């Protein structure tokens, strides 16, 4: 995430847990942040403090328009999606 702007983000599936995702964000002053998106009672929660959402895309969509509920994140929102590179097998 070194060449990306503040607010750039990438969502990845967990390699070890079903229905768990990781949101990586380039935060304030370029510091990378990693936040878990987990399934709780049939809905997805960002970290520990977000409202629940029916799908991961709805979580992402909401936080492109609202500040992230993360301590020390300032007024950070999801602004620039990073496309994950596909590796040849």
């Amino acid at each position: 995430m070194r060449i990306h702007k503040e607010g750039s983000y990438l969502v990845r599936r967990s390699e070890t847990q079903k229905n768990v995702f990781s949101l990586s964000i380039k935060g304030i002053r370029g510091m990378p942040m990693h936040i878990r998106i987990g399934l709780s009672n049939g809905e997805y929660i960002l970290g520990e403090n977000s409202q629940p959402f029916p799908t991961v895309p709805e979580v992402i969509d909401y936080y492109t328009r609202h500040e992230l509920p993360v301590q020390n994140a300032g007024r950070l929102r999801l602004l620039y999606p990073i496309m994950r590179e596909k590796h040849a097998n």
Side-chain angles (χ1 to χ4, degrees):
M1 296 187 112
R2 291 181 199 180
I3 61 172
H4 299 287
K5 299 177 188 178
E6 184 177 293
S8 297
Y9 66 94
L10 173 71
V11 179
R12 298 176 280 110
R13 286 187 180 275
S14 170
E15 294 179 2
T16 58
Q17 295 177 301
K18 186 177 178 180
N19 296 318
V20 173
F21 297 81
S22 179
L23 173 64
S24 298
I25 311 155
K26 185 164 189 175
I28 297 170
R29 293 181 294 281
M31 294 299 295
M33 300 172 61
H34 306 285
I35 307 170
R36 181 178 191 256
I37 301 174
L39 192 63
S40 176
N41 298 320
E43 295 188 290
Y44 289 93
I45 305 289
L46 177 64
E48 298 176 2
N49 301 314
S50 86
Q51 65 186 57
F53 297 89
T55 66
V56 172
E58 289 178 76
V59 173
I60 301 306
D61 180 62
Y62 181 83
Y63 289 108
T64 62
R65 295 176 279 113
H66 298 87
E67 295 172 9
L68 292 164
V70 179
Q71 188 174 357
N72 299 324
R75 297 179 172 260
L76 189 62
R77 289 186 302 133
L78 303 178
L79 299 173
Y80 310 105
I82 299 171
M83 300 306 293
R84 187 171 179 182
E85 295 179 15
K86 294 186 178 191
H87 300 283
N89 291 334

